[in-house]
Amino acid sequence: QLHFVESGGGLVQSGGSLRLSCAAPGFTLDYYAIGVFRQAPGKEREGVLCISSSESISIYIDSVKGRFTISRDFTKNMVYLQMNSLKPEDTGVYYCAAQYLYCPAYTTDHDMNGWGNGTLVTVVS
């Protein structure tokens, strides 16, 4: 059964960097698109980026373009989110989830599952 384990969050100053990791123990991710979502305090969860099974990238939030990079390592069965030039508005709990093959066109309509407990990212100015 798919259940992600997210790691790599922490407290960082504005302009800093973090690298988040998404692991799926006991589950092969090769044929799945992996999405990274985040939930800021008091707000609904939103999709950030997604990488498909063929490594196509979908970006759902314009403000992360040029700052966040999603990648995957099939040999390690891992997905990574490199976050640079972090801003206070990037603060939130970051989650990973997956759906078969393709990234959703809209993050309000998806079949993502395997949600983990998330990892907290706090960016202070």
Side-chain angles (χ1 to χ4, degrees), residues 53-115:
S53 58
S54 62
E55 299 185 270
S56 296
I57 307 296
S58 299
I59 303 175
Y60 302 112
I61 300 177
D62 285 344
S63 67
V64 308
K65 290 179 180 178
R67 300 189 299 121
F68 289 12
T69 303
I70 191 169
S71 62
R72 64 191 302 167
D73 186 332
F74 290 98
T75 64
K76 296 182 178 179
N77 203 44
M78 295 287 292
V79 172
Y80 304 101
L81 179 66
Q82 179 66 42
M83 304 187 295
N84 298 326
S85 302
L86 281 161
K87 304 176 181 180
E89 51 263 43
D90 295 318
T91 293
V93 179
Y94 284 69
Y95 301 90
C96 302
Q99 68 178 39
Y100 191 61
L101 290 182
Y102 305 113
C103 293
Y106 305 100
T107 58
T108 54
D109 181 13
H110 61 76
D111 293 321
M112 291 280 177
N113 59 76
W115 303 93

Side-chain angles (χ1 to χ4, degrees), residues 14-28:
S14 182
S17 298
L18 286 172
R19 187 194 193 206
L20 305 187
S21 298
C22 305
F27 192 92
T28 301

